[in-house]
Every structure is written in structure tokens, then in C-alpha cells.
Amino acid sequence: MGPYRLKDFGGRFLTGEPVHTEGKIWPGIGAYVEWFIPEQSRPVSVLFVHGGGGQGSEFLRTPDGRPGWAHSFLSAGYPVFILDRPGHGRCAWNERILGPALPLPDYGFLYPRFVEPARHDLWAEAAKHDRWPKDPQAGDRFMASQGPMATTLAASQHHVEAIADQLFELTGPTIIVSHSAGGPCGWALAAKGGDKVAGILAIEPLGYPGMVHPLGTFENGLCAAPYAGTADPFERPVAIVSAEASWMRDANARAAAFIRDRGNIFEYIRLEEHGLGGNGHMLMSEINSAAIADLLVGWIEQNLCGQASLPNNEAVQG
């Protein structure tokens, strides 16, 4: 990761039409986007889409204070856009607009799956997990970042589809880097964005065709609901990235088989095959996160036909 200089940075709320209900007017479905534009920028940006009850800050800094993935992509010359999905991060959850939310998760639910898989041994690969930061407060900081999430996968999908047009007006041509439950949102965004989406890196994405999940069944390929957009999400270069010690291994393999059968540019990246073993689900937070980011940048350089690596002094404008 080398030094870089910024031409611009900032953020904006994406806002839907106000909603009239209960005799009052409320903001419609909204999201927040933060951007960082390097001085010598490439002609395609990177859009980070967080998962579950998380938020975009996961890509800015690790729980133990190291530079996050955003810095690696900025160092490589990519304009970076970081999304707080509707009701997450800087966007308050309003049940009148977004519908009900799940109860906030506690330590007992998230620690065995994200922070201490080897200690709790809930799945076969969990014993291999050894990449969580040693900082004793890293787990507490992770927990502090976790907020509400929709009660159905279909609702989460509809929420991001509602702000997609405004989002792509900001990002311009972009590469979606999604994570976990942000994976289905990423496919749905690509269906809305069409040619504006140059590629997709799905990091430990949730779901495979027919998967029955507590929040809904995957009845539309890798999504729970029909797309609001008309483009095929898989007609551009796509990669799925899986960690060695994650519970997502089987689901990711099934999703990879689904995409591969469509005959497009695709790679299923198993990190341990690239010398990056012992990782759990939060790849952007673990101690080898910078090396993983370098691998992702390298995949983009190799698979986007040189388009992403051309210098361009006119950055994407916020």
C-alpha cells in the first residue's frame, strides 16, 4: 500500500420521495455514500457494499486501527465510494418507511461466528480460524458497529434498489465489492446499474439458488426477490471470494457453480489457495486484510480487460 493524494472527499445522503403517513411527513428510503477521489484516478470507481447489520465504516479502518480496504484501493488509483445501506450506519432505521427490524445482536450470537470461531467450533472449518486481531478491544469495536437489519432479505434488496439510480449517478462506472448479506444487494444493484457496473467482487456472499434462510428463500438465483432492474448481473466479470475458516464455504461453492454455469468471466477465489489461510467471515477486519485487498486489486487488473488500469486525471465527481 503506497501513499496517495486526494482530489476530493465527502459524502451525501441519497433521499427518496417524502412519505405522508400518520398525519406527518417522513423522509423516504435513503442511504449515505462517502467518497474519496485520488488525484490520479482511474476511469472506474469501486463501490463497497457492507453486509448484515454492519456499515460502510468497516472498509475504512480495521477494529485494531489499521488502514482498511478503502486505502488499498485508493493507493491503486481507484475512486472509492462507501455505501451505508438504507437504515444502516449514518441512516437511521424508520420502521414506518423500511418496515420492521430484527433485534440487535448480542455478543453471544456474533462472537462465535465472527470473533472466536475456533473457540466455539460451530462448523467443521472453525478450528482453522486464527486471523482475528489480537487487540483486546477489537471485538468490542466490531460489536459497536453492528446495528439493525431488515426482517427479510427481500426487504433489504428492495431498499437498495430504491436508491440505486442516485447511487450510480455519483459513482459513474464502478466495480461493486459486496460482503455477506450485502451480496444479494450487490447482484440487485448490478441489475439496476447495467453497463455502469464494470465488475463484481462478492466477498463471502450470502446465498445460493434455492437456499432456505430464516429471512427468506433464494427464489431468484442469488437473490430472494425478483430484480427491479433488467440487466443480467452476471454478464460482467465476477468473482466470489471465500475464507478458509468461514461457515460460508458450502454456500459460496454452490453460488460459484451457479455463476460458472452461465459461461461468463468468473473465478471462485479460495483464499488459502493464495497463501491466505485461517480467515473467518470478516475478511476486511482480520490481520491479513491488506494482503487480501492486494489480491482483490490484482484480480481487477487482470480481469477487467485493462479498463480499470488506465490513468485518468478527470476523477469521478461527487
Side-chain angles (χ1 to χ4, degrees), residues 24 27 152 196 212 240 246 283 291 296:
K24 298 180 180 180
T152 69
K196 287 188 177 180
V212 179
I240 284 179
S246 171
L283 301 181
L296 303 183

Side-chain angles (χ1 to χ4, degrees), residues 180-259:
S180 192
C185 295
W187 310 126
L189 284 171
K192 286 278 288 183
D195 291 341
K196 287 188 177 180
V197 179
I200 301 174
L201 276 163
I203 315 301
E204 294 261 307
L206 176 65
Y208 57 82
M211 176 183 178
V212 179
H213 186 274
L215 303 186
T217 300
F218 282 76
E219 297 178 345
N220 177 33
L222 302 185
C223 284
Y227 303 129
T230 58
D232 180 356
F234 311 109
E235 66 182 5
R236 67 228 354 107
V238 174
I240 284 179
V241 181
S242 279
E244 182 181 37
S246 171
W247 74 87
M248 288 280 197
R249 296 284 288 193
D250 178 65
N252 286 173
R254 296 187 188 205
F258 171 77
I259 301 173

Side-chain angles (χ1 to χ4, degrees), residues 16-38:
E17 289 294 324
V19 174
H20 297 249
T21 184
E22 301 175 1
K24 298 180 180 180
I25 305 174
W26 304 93
I29 295 177
Y32 185 82
V33 183
E34 191 168 15
W35 62 78
F36 302 87
I37 312 298

Side-chain angles (χ1 to χ4, degrees), residues 147-217:
M149 58 184 294
T151 57
T152 69
L153 296 169
S156 293
Q157 178 181 331
H158 296 327
H159 295 162
V160 295
E161 289 171 332
I163 54 88
D165 292 343
Q166 292 182 57
L167 177 62
F168 290 123
E169 286 179 7
L170 281 177
T171 66
T174 195
I175 301 157
I176 295 175
V177 180
S178 63
H179 177 243
S180 192
C185 295
W187 310 126
L189 284 171
K192 286 278 288 183
D195 291 341
K196 287 188 177 180
V197 179
I200 301 174
L201 276 163
I203 315 301
E204 294 261 307
L206 176 65
Y208 57 82
M211 176 183 178
V212 179
H213 186 274
L215 303 186
T217 300

Side-chain angles (χ1 to χ4, degrees), residues 1-4 71 75:
M1 184 189 306
Y4 59 86
H71 297 273
S75 181

Side-chain angles (χ1 to χ4, degrees), residues 39-263:
E39 281 189 347
Q40 298 296 319
S41 64
R42 300 172 186 254
V44 61
S45 68
V46 170
L47 169 64
F48 288 107
V49 181
H50 67 82
Q55 55 183 288
S57 62
E58 296 165 355
F59 300 104
L60 281 174
R61 215 80 187 170
T62 65
D64 59 340
R66 291 170 291 115
W69 281 1
H71 297 273
S72 295
F73 283 83
L74 286 166
S75 181
Y78 293 95
V80 165
F81 291 80
I82 302 176
L83 177 68
D84 279 342
R85 295 192 284 114
H88 298 263
R90 287 181 172 91
C91 297
W93 193 283
N94 186 340
E95 290 195 359
R96 301 171 185 84
I97 309 303
L98 299 177
L102 293 175
L104 294 178
D106 64 5
Y107 279 64
F109 182 76
L110 291 186
Y111 254 56
R113 292 162 177 81
F114 294 85
V115 179
E116 301 174 335
R119 177 181 174 186
H120 297 272
D121 202 26
L122 297 182
W123 57 90
E125 298 83 4
K128 300 177 182 179
H129 183 253
D130 60 3
R131 296 293 185 172
W132 187 258
K134 303 303 180 185
D135 184 333
Q137 289 190 307
D140 298 327
R141 296 185 186 115
F142 164 71
M143 291 299 302
S145 73
Q146 299 303 296
M149 58 184 294
T151 57
T152 69
L153 296 169
S156 293
Q157 178 181 331
H158 296 327
H159 295 162
V160 295
E161 289 171 332
I163 54 88
D165 292 343
Q166 292 182 57
L167 177 62
F168 290 123
E169 286 179 7
L170 281 177
T171 66
T174 195
I175 301 157
I176 295 175
V177 180
S178 63
H179 177 243
S180 192
C185 295
W187 310 126
L189 284 171
K192 286 278 288 183
D195 291 341
K196 287 188 177 180
V197 179
I200 301 174
L201 276 163
I203 315 301
E204 294 261 307
L206 176 65
Y208 57 82
M211 176 183 178
V212 179
H213 186 274
L215 303 186
T217 300
F218 282 76
E219 297 178 345
N220 177 33
L222 302 185
C223 284
Y227 303 129
T230 58
D232 180 356
F234 311 109
E235 66 182 5
R236 67 228 354 107
V238 174
I240 284 179
V241 181
S242 279
E244 182 181 37
S246 171
W247 74 87
M248 288 280 197
R249 296 284 288 193
D250 178 65
N252 286 173
R254 296 187 188 205
F258 171 77
I259 301 173
R260 187 178 290 114
D261 286 346
R262 304 179 77 91

